[in-house]
Structure formats: structure tokens, C-alpha cells
Amino acid sequence: MARPTAPAPSRRRRPRRRGRRILAWLGGLVVLGAVLGVAGFATAYALTDVPDPNELADAQVSTVYYADGTTPMGTFAARNRVNVSIGDVPVPVQRAVLAAEDRSFYENRGVSPTGIARALWNNLQGGSQQGGSTITQQYVKNYYLSADRSYKRKLDEFFIALKIDQQQSKDETLQDYLNTVYFGRDAWGIQAASQAYFGKNVQDLTVSEGALLAAVLKAPSSLDPRKDPEGAAERVDYVLDGMVSEGWLSAADRASAGLPETIEPSNDNEYAGPNGYLLATVRNELESATVGLTEEQIAAGGYKIVTTFDQKAQAAAVEAVQDQLPESRPEGLQVALSAIDPRTGGVTAMYGGADYLARNRNAATQDRAQAGSTFKPFTLVAALEQGISLRSTFSGASPQTIEGFPVRNFGNSSYGRINLLTATANSVNTVYARLNEEVTPQASRDTAIRAGYPSDTAGLEDNFSNVLGTASPHPIDVTQAYATFAAQGRFTQWHTIASIDDAQGARTYTASPPSEQRFDADVMADATYAMQQVVQSGSGAYARNLGRPAAGKTGTSSDNVSAWFAGFTPQLAASVAMYQIGADGSQQTIRLGSREVTGGSYPVRIWTTFMRAALQGQDVERFPSPSYVGRAQGAPATSSSTPSPSTSSPSASPSESASPSDSPSETSSDGPSETPGQSSGDQTPTPGQDGPARQTPGGQGGDQGEDGGQGGGGGQGAGPDGGQAAGPGGAGAGPAGGPAAGPA
């Protein structure tokens, strides 16, 4: 019997030996990685230098330049800083800061691993860039006041924080932090913040005041109680409650603490004069979502900020206002001028007031005023888009009942049957009210928004009187809309910043504003041609002094509480608004000397003077020829647009009208040489309705064209809902006739 052979050696043991070798190899790698990690950590720690604490406040000045990129306009600088010792800071104030920013400050090692992990996870998930949250890390971060948000920066921050925590006491770190951190209001350090918010030294701060200063650290640009009292109060409560939970504040003291009163923010003298409005506007844009810089970065980042403001144009704006207005003028009179390059959307000039330190509300971007007849071109554009030709005719009779309400022209003057060119030049209310009825008020409103009005513009509604300018836009909104006209239908969002370079000279921002074609070129050519007639023979005839093709529209609101001229050439669009604010904040009738101010008086003179200087040396460009889109409707126009003799006669016949060569020097000391607007906005009962009379959309006061014709003022117009709606607007009659349509 054969002897059994020995079984072959099992192969199952080989994989086990191989597995053990792999584990041993991996274990070696882990050990090696740990050794290398420790070595790398130790090397990085050893090679990281701790900056001198004084360097942490060595912020660089950010400089704002005119459009040429070489002429400084002003600076944003972190100059407001005074060092104090930790002993000068009341203990409750110290604890308020700890409660707000780092409650484990005296226990941690200068860094927060959990905070770093949380920030890293947030960043990887696409959230906002975040860093460590300890006071030591924030103190270190203050040295890197730039736009750099790299992971290397965060790594450097980590090691510097570790070293600082080892090399100096916690009290020293807290002292340096409190002396270098930014509190808003251009205040760096807690002593400067105490003065900026409360007008007192840090030693005299109360618990509530300390809690507010600690609260604003989270968002200095937005948690100032003068900007957001509710947000500030919520954050102060968080700080005070944190102090209670940490045993640093008793329940009784907490019950008596809360949001303290603050003093008004003060402004640096660099904001004095008209240029202060420019700097404030630039700063707002820097902090907007479009650019996204923080207050700290702006004040200490060393940026080169090139604006769109043209130095020559800006000087022209200031000089035009100063030269054209009489030296003696009532307190509360406001003038707003803004100019936009229609091809880029850049604001080339802005007059927001005489002195930002005296009134820090920008008349051009923050105030509102009834637009008057500067609104009428929107209805004209809507009509052209619907195929209603410039040759279409309408009755210029006055008064007319439209939508159940009486509408009258200035002086109740009646025209014959006139086309839209004549109606635009003379701003005939009855024609435009009838035109608005036909195209629909909704279409007029939509056209205004597409041109540049914000959709939430005060008073911008879908009622038939909107054509008379019942909306109250910001003056810059009117300029924006007319810049769209000047660009032949292309809308480009206005802005004031062209580019930004960081402290190292690297370009970090270049303006690329939203831009799109919103109206057909043929429609714009016709609308522009109609608005040229306002300058050539209508209420804005003084603008012929510009000596180059121009188009525009006058505007005067009811009771002459606002007066406008908005106009443009192919290269530049600008508007001038004037309005009077009473001591109680209400708008009042504008009077300079014994005369009422209308759109055809001071506003058009300021506009012309400004444009002449701003465009000096530039080529004379012409507008496209009219296309006469659509089809003419209505009966043929009458041979003359002169008002019916049965109505009030104008103060001057065409032969007596002022020539375009009239200069500002020929005006009287109390205003332009023209006849004051005649009041004709008598209250008239609505047909079929008993009770109190209503104001008509027709108008009182009005534009007085430099051609000698009287322009319509805006009356208070009754809206379709029966309530009073200002029905500003109107225009001055051109050489062809006398009184023009109501409000301009």
C-alpha cells in the first residue's frame, strides 16, 4: 500500500505575513508622518517671527483719486488711536469684551482648535471666509489688514498667536488688543472709541457703555446704534447676558443695564466742503456688496482707489452752483447736481451740498424731490414703442376732463390741435395726460423703471397723473434715466469707483457695472429729437447757450417746491434739482428774492454753465436723426400752436423773447429776468361730486422759458383714488406761443 505523501505547505499563512508587513509599513509611515509633522510644526514655530506690538497698529492710508489716477481727492486713514494701559480699563469693561469675543481667554493657549476647524469647514462648504475666534488671534490678525485671505495667512496667524501667548502675559495681550482693535467711527483702540461714542475717557465707562463697545466689535460698520439701534441692542443683550453666565455681572446689575445713549458721530475735517459728499459716496460703495471691503480694510489697507470723478467736471459743478445762485438765499435751499458718462455709467461730477460737515445728507443721492415734467419723456417713449408717431396730434384745449378729473394747462391756456413735438417743447399737460391715458399709466411707469428709476421710488404709481411727475425720485435717479436716453437706450448702472489696487500695487477690483440695451435705437432717436425741441424752442431754451446739440426737459412741481432741468449731450447726462426745506423738515415754495424758481430759470442756467465747462475741449457730437417710428394718428395739426386768445396772454410775445446769447450776468440780482409763473391751480370740484373741492392735476406756478414764454407749473393733482396727489410738471412755451402746459 502506497505511503501517503506529505501535504503541501499551506498557502494561507503567506497573506497573513504580507498583511503584517503592510501594517508595519503603514505604521512606520504614521510614525514618520508624526515625526515629520512634529518637526515641521517645530520648524514653523521656530521660524515664525512675532511682530512688534506697535507694528500691529501701523495701518496704511488708503488714498482716493480722481479719474486720472494721479490727483488725490482725499484719504481714508486709521489715525484716531491713543494707547492706554490695561489698568485704565475698568474691569467690567474688560469682561464685557471677553464676554463678546473670547470667554475662555484666560484659559486657552492663544488659539482655538475648534474655532479653526469650524472656520475651515465653513470655508470648504463655500460659506464666508472665517478665521480663529480668540482675542489673541484677532490681535494677530490686525497686523494683516489687507484683502489677503489665504490659508498661509491663517497658518502664520496660528503660529504667531501661539508664540505671543507664550511670550507675554494675558493682561499684556488684552491690553495690546484693546489698543489696536477697530470699533467703528474711525476709532482704533478703546480710548478713541470711548471718545467717539460717549465723549469720555475709558476710565469713566459704565458697564452698559463697555457692553456697547464690546458689541460693535462684531460688525463696526453696521452695529453702531445710530445706524441700527435694534441690532445694537440685541448684541448688547448678548454681551450682558454672557457676563451674567460667566459670573462677571450680578442679576441686579444686569437688570439695570442696557443699550446706552451715544453722541453724534463726528467727521474728519477732510470731509469739509462739497468734496465730503464725494468721499462719503465712495466709501459707501466700497462697503457695498459690489466691492465688499470692511471699514477696517478701507481705513488701514493702503488701497489706491481711483474714482470716476473728473476733476475739471467736479470743479465746474461747484462753480456753476456758486456762480448762478445769488449770494443771498434762504436757509434750507438745497441744490443737487449730478452728471453721468452714459457710455460707462461713471459719475463724473456730483454736487450734494455746500459742506458735508454742516449737512451730511447728500442732496443728489439721498434727498427726494417731485420730478415734475422731467417725467413726461417716459410717457413719450412708451407711446413711441406702441407705434404712436411724433407726428400724432392731440387737442391742446384746456381744461379737459380725463379719467374723471379736470386737467388744465398753465394759465388755463388752450392750444389748437398740436403734434407731440410741439406738446413736448411746451410741456402741454392736457396732451400728455391724454397720451398717458392711451398708452396706460402702467406703461409710463414701466418705462421710467427701465430707464433707471428704482421700482420703489416714492410716489411712482400706476395712475394717470404719474405723467405729471407725481413721483419723487432721488436726483441721481433722474440723471441715471437721462443717461439711458443719452446712450440711445442702453442702461448702465451708475457708479463712482473705477478701480482699486492694494498696498502691493495688485489690482483687486475693476468696475464692470450692469449694462444692457433697454430701448430700441429708433425709439430713442425720436424721443431725443423731441427733447431737443425743449432746448431749441421750449422751456429749456437757455441751454442753447451750450453751443452744441443738447436735449432735455424742465420740471417744476406743485407750488414750486421743486424745480429741475435734466438734459444730455451724446457724451454727458446731467440733472439739476432745487428744492426748499423748511425748519420743520417740510418742503416749501422756492423763492429767491421776489421770484418763484422754476425749471426754466436757475436749474437750466446752472446746468448750462456746468455742461459748458465740463465739455470744454471735447468734440461736438450730434444726435442721430429722427426715425419717425410708428404711424401718425389724429387730425392734422393746426397751423399755429399759439394758445387761444380767450385765455390768459403770455407775458412776452415771441418777438420779445430772450435770445440764446443772454448771459447770466444779464439777470437781475434777485433772479433771472422773467415773469413769475401765474397761479392757475384753483381747486375745482370733481364733476358729479359734492363736498370739498379737489386739487386738479393742472398746475400752479411753472417753468418760465428763457425764450419769454411762461411755462406751466405743477399743481396738486387728484389721483384716481380721490386723494390729493401732487401733479407737478409743466413747461414753458417756446417762441411759437405763450403759456405752456401746466407743471413742468
Side-chain angles (χ1 to χ4, degrees):
M1 182 169 146
R3 190 173 182 180
T5 58
S10 175
R11 296 185 178 181
R12 293 179 180 177
R13 296 181 180 178
R14 292 180 181 177
R16 292 177 181 175
R17 288 197 295 270
R18 186 179 300 137
R20 284 196 293 270
R21 286 197 298 270
I22 293 173
L23 289 175
W25 180 71
L26 292 175
L29 286 179
V30 171
V31 172
L32 178 61
V35 171
L36 291 176
V38 171
F41 184 91
T43 301
Y45 182 85
L47 293 177
T48 301
D49 294 325
V50 177
D52 185 88
N54 291 329
E55 293 180 18
L56 298 178
D58 187 20
Q60 300 183 61
V61 173
S62 293
T63 305
V64 182
Y65 294 87
Y66 284 102
D68 61 10
T70 59
T71 306
M73 177 192 300
T75 59
F76 299 128
R79 300 191 182 104
N80 192 7
R81 176 174 174 265
V82 179
N83 285 340
V84 294
S85 69
I86 194 66
D88 293 328
V89 183
V91 172
V93 176
Q94 297 179 39
R95 289 174 172 172
V97 173
L98 298 181
E101 298 297 314
D102 187 1
R103 297 179 186 181
S104 66
F105 173 72
Y106 281 99
E107 288 76 40
N108 63 48
R109 297 299 180 185
V111 297
S112 171
T114 57
I116 293 173
R118 182 175 61 252
L120 178 61
W121 176 252
N122 179 79
N123 296 343
L124 291 175
Q125 294 295 311
S128 60
Q129 293 287 322
Q130 296 180 0
S133 60
T134 70
I135 278 179
T136 309
Q137 285 176 276
Q138 291 183 52
Y139 164 62
V140 170
K141 183 181 177 182
N142 287 344
Y143 181 70
Y144 300 95
L145 289 173
S146 71
D148 181 15
R149 294 180 179 271
S150 67
Y151 289 107
K152 179 183 182 303
R153 203 291 309 277
K154 298 181 187 299
L155 193 63
D156 290 341
E157 176 187 300
F158 178 85
F159 284 113
I160 293 173
L162 284 175
K163 277 200 167 185
I164 285 178
D165 193 69
Q166 293 297 316
Q167 294 178 8
Q168 65 186 39
S169 69
K170 289 288 188 180
D171 283 349
E172 289 175 315
T173 299
L174 183 59
Q175 174 181 287
D176 290 340
Y177 171 77
L178 292 174
N179 281 327
T180 58
V181 70
Y182 184 65
F183 287 87
R185 296 194 179 189
D186 288 331
W188 294 78
I190 197 163
Q191 170 62 20
S194 299
Q195 291 290 342
Y197 284 88
F198 307 110
K200 61 173 64 175
N201 292 322
V202 65
Q203 298 95 322
D204 302 322
L205 291 176
T206 66
V207 173
S208 294
E209 291 167 344
L212 174 61
L213 294 185
V216 299
L217 290 173
K218 180 180 179 182
S221 63
S222 59
L223 285 179
D224 187 323
R226 295 282 175 164
K227 296 180 180 178
D228 182 7
E230 293 182 1
E234 182 178 343
R235 184 65 178 173
V236 166
D237 287 343
Y238 169 81
V239 173
L240 294 171
D241 292 341
M243 294 177 70
V244 173
S245 66
E246 294 293 328
W248 298 335
L249 185 68
S250 69
D253 289 338
R254 169 66 183 95
S256 61
L259 183 68
E261 289 292 327
T262 63
I263 63 176
E264 283 285 346
S266 61
N267 294 294
D268 190 274
N269 287 337
E270 189 152 14
Y271 283 81
N275 271 17
Y277 297 97
L278 276 60
L279 290 173
T281 303
V282 169
R283 184 160 193 157
N284 289 338
E285 190 170 327
L286 289 169
E287 295 178 12
S288 70
T290 302
V291 181
L293 293 182
T294 65
E295 277 194 21
E296 298 96 316
Q297 291 171 326
I298 295 169
Y303 292 101
K304 176 182 179 180
I305 303 159
V306 179
T307 71
T308 61
F309 293 112
D310 179 83
Q311 186 181 20
K312 182 180 74 171
Q314 181 60 29
V318 176
E319 290 173 7
V321 173
Q322 293 175 343
D323 293 348
Q324 290 302 312
L325 293 181
E327 292 185 6
S328 177
R329 45 187 183 262
E331 185 177 355
L333 178 67
Q334 306 299 328
V335 181
L337 184 154
S338 55
I340 295 175
D341 182 336
R343 293 161 181 169
T344 66
V347 179
T348 61
M350 178 186 293
Y351 184 87
D355 186 1
Y356 182 82
L357 297 184
R359 183 181 190 260
N360 59 18
R361 185 174 177 85
N362 191 325
T365 63
Q366 294 177 290
D367 284 356
R368 298 177 182 272
Q370 276 195 329
S373 284
T374 61
F375 193 91
K376 285 178 179 171
F378 303 132
T379 300
L380 176 63
V381 171
L384 293 169
E385 289 186 319
Q386 294 180 24
I388 301 175
S389 168
L390 290 176
R391 295 190 175 101
S392 297
T393 62
F394 295 82
S395 169
S398 177
Q400 295 184 37
T401 299
I402 303 174
E403 298 286 337
F405 297 96
V407 180
R408 66 184 70 233
N409 299 325
F410 171 70
N412 202 27
S413 299
S414 287
Y415 293 77
R417 193 162 190 91
I418 55 176
N419 62 30
L420 291 180
L421 285 174
T422 302
T424 302
N426 297 329
S427 203
V428 181
N429 276 355
T430 54
V431 169
Y432 263 94
R434 191 66 72 185
L435 182 65
N436 196 37
E437 180 185 40
E438 183 162 339
V439 302
T440 75
Q442 293 82 1
S444 294
R445 180 180 184 275
D446 173 69
T447 301
I449 293 171
R450 285 191 288 149
Y453 270 40
S455 59
D456 62 351
T457 297
L460 184 58
E461 299 176 355
D462 293 340
N463 54 48
F464 94 96
S465 61
N466 65 10
V467 67
L468 301 178
T470 55
S472 295
H474 301 107
I476 192 72
D477 300 334
V478 175
T479 309
Q480 173 81 85
Y482 277 65
T484 302
F485 294 155
Q488 295 303 296
R490 186 165 192 85
F491 167 89
T492 303
Q493 180 63 50
W494 73 267
H495 59 283
T496 63
I497 298 174
S499 66
I500 303 172
D501 295 345
D502 65 18
Q504 289 72 45
R507 180 63 48 87
T508 62
Y509 174 83
T510 301
S512 56
S515 182
E516 62 176 319
Q517 189 72 31
R518 294 188 173 177
F519 302 100
D520 289 342
D522 287 348
V523 168
M524 284 293 99
D526 283 4
T528 299
Y529 183 65
M531 284 184 276
Q532 284 180 269
Q533 309 315 304
V534 175
V535 173
Q536 289 300 313
S537 60
S539 56
Y542 184 85
R544 284 183 290 178
N545 284 299
L546 183 59
R548 62 174 70 211
K553 190 71 187 72
T554 51
T556 307
S557 69
S558 59
D559 299 321
N560 298 76
V561 296
S562 65
W564 297 76
F565 186 79
F568 55 93
T569 67
Q571 301 108 309
L572 192 63
S575 73
V576 175
M578 295 179 64
Y579 47 95
Q580 178 76 37
I581 299 177
D584 60 354
S586 64
Q587 289 197 1
Q588 300 178 339
T589 297
I590 312 169
R591 287 189 180 276
L592 287 175
S594 61
R595 306 186 189 282
E596 293 180 330
V597 175
T598 62
S601 60
Y602 289 104
V604 73
R605 289 175 177 268
I606 293 172
W607 183 92
T608 304
T609 303
F610 161 72
M611 293 287 281
R612 190 162 46 201
L615 293 171
Q616 186 177 15
Q618 296 190 33
D619 293 338
V620 175
E621 296 186 18
R622 302 193 177 279
F623 295 114
S625 300
S627 300
Y628 286 105
V629 298
R631 297 180 61 184
Q633 66 179 50
T638 55
S639 60
S640 173
S641 61
T642 304
S644 167
S646 64
T647 63
S648 303
S649 299
S651 61
S653 67
S655 61
E656 297 169 331
S657 64
S659 71
S661 63
D662 286 346
S663 66
S665 62
E666 294 173 344
T667 63
S668 62
S669 60
D670 60 352
S673 179
E674 57 192 15
T675 303
Q678 300 176 356
S679 175
S680 63
D682 298 331
Q683 292 184 337
T684 305
T686 301
Q689 176 186 349
D690 296 328
R694 295 186 183 183
Q695 300 281 6
T696 70
Q700 148 180 326
D703 283 345
Q704 297 157 168
E706 291 297 328
D707 50 22
Q710 298 179 14
Q716 291 182 333
D721 56 3
Q724 281 191 358

